[in-house]
Amino acid sequence: MAYETFEKVEGIIQGIERGEDCCSMMLSLISGSDIVNVMVSGDTVVVDNVRLRPGMRIAVFYDTNLPTPAVYPPQYRAELVTSVRRGQQVMLDYFNDQLESADGSLKLNIGPMTNVTTMNGQPYTCSPENMELLVYYTVATFSMPAQATPQRVIVLCGWQM
């Protein structure tokens, strides 16, 4: 699966309702001043298999190619969910051989303290260039593209563009 059609919504979980089939749940997120509903199914990837709880800050990635109901508040089907710490940013994109994102907004400087793993938590010992990456960082320069030394990089093996 390539993630080029994925969009992100970030927010704090306000409420969780169990789905009709007991394998899914609807999250109500406060995103800025808006409320967004997100359906999490048994097929949704939850990074680190964390238990989602009210009050938790998360980033949800959904596929813009999938149909979404025309309702308010907006409702999306989550493909990938990750928890996000205070002050932390998360980005999902393809990074080229210079470790620049496909949208040109971020260049990575992998440092010795950067934790680079696969989605299942195993160490990734090769260079993460030319791969789809889920990147966690706190500080970025104001240059174009912005540069950051990420705290964590998850390499999405098998999902190259």
Side-chain angles (χ1 to χ4, degrees), residues 5-22:
T5 61
F6 280 32
E7 289 291 328
K8 173 178 75 169
V9 62
E10 280 190 45
I12 297 173
I13 300 174
Q14 178 184 24
I16 301 174
E17 291 183 26
R18 182 177 54 94
E20 295 173 13
D21 64 0
C22 293

Side-chain angles (χ1 to χ4, degrees), residues 15-72:
I16 301 174
E17 291 183 26
R18 182 177 54 94
E20 295 173 13
D21 64 0
C22 293
C23 288
S24 62
M25 60 183 156
M26 181 68 75
L27 306 179
S28 270
L29 298 181
I30 299 174
S31 179
S33 60
D34 297 323
I35 293 184
V36 176
N37 289 329
V38 178
M39 178 61 68
V40 176
S41 72
D43 295 330
T44 303
V45 174
V46 179
V47 175
D48 297 329
N49 295 316
V50 296
R51 182 174 178 204
L52 302 173
R53 303 176 309 278
M56 179 182 275
R57 184 171 175 243
I58 62 171
V60 175
F61 295 89
Y62 63 93
D63 191 342
T64 59
N65 283 341
L66 296 177
T68 57
V71 295
Y72 183 82

Side-chain angles (χ1 to χ4, degrees), residues 3 8-10 45-50 52 56-61 79-93 95 99 101 106-111 113-121 128 132-140 147-156 159:
Y3 292 106
K8 173 178 75 169
V9 62
E10 280 190 45
V45 174
V46 179
V47 175
D48 297 329
N49 295 316
V50 296
L52 302 173
M56 179 182 275
R57 184 171 175 243
I58 62 171
V60 175
F61 295 89
E79 298 293 327
L80 189 142
V81 177
T82 185
S83 62
V84 182
R85 295 191 306 249
R86 185 181 316 272
Q88 189 175 53
Q89 300 294 317
V90 63
M91 178 181 213
L92 174 64
D93 208 344
F95 286 81
L99 290 175
S101 62
L106 186 65
K107 179 176 178 12
L108 302 181
N109 299 313
I110 304 295
M113 298 304 291
T114 302
N115 183 17
V116 182
T117 66
T118 60
M119 185 61 86
N120 65 7
E132 293 274 354
L133 305 176
L134 184 60
V135 178
Y136 300 81
Y137 62 98
T138 54
V139 179
Q147 295 187 33
T149 302
Q151 301 146 326
R152 182 178 186 191
V153 173
I154 297 176
V155 180
L156 303 174
W159 287 309

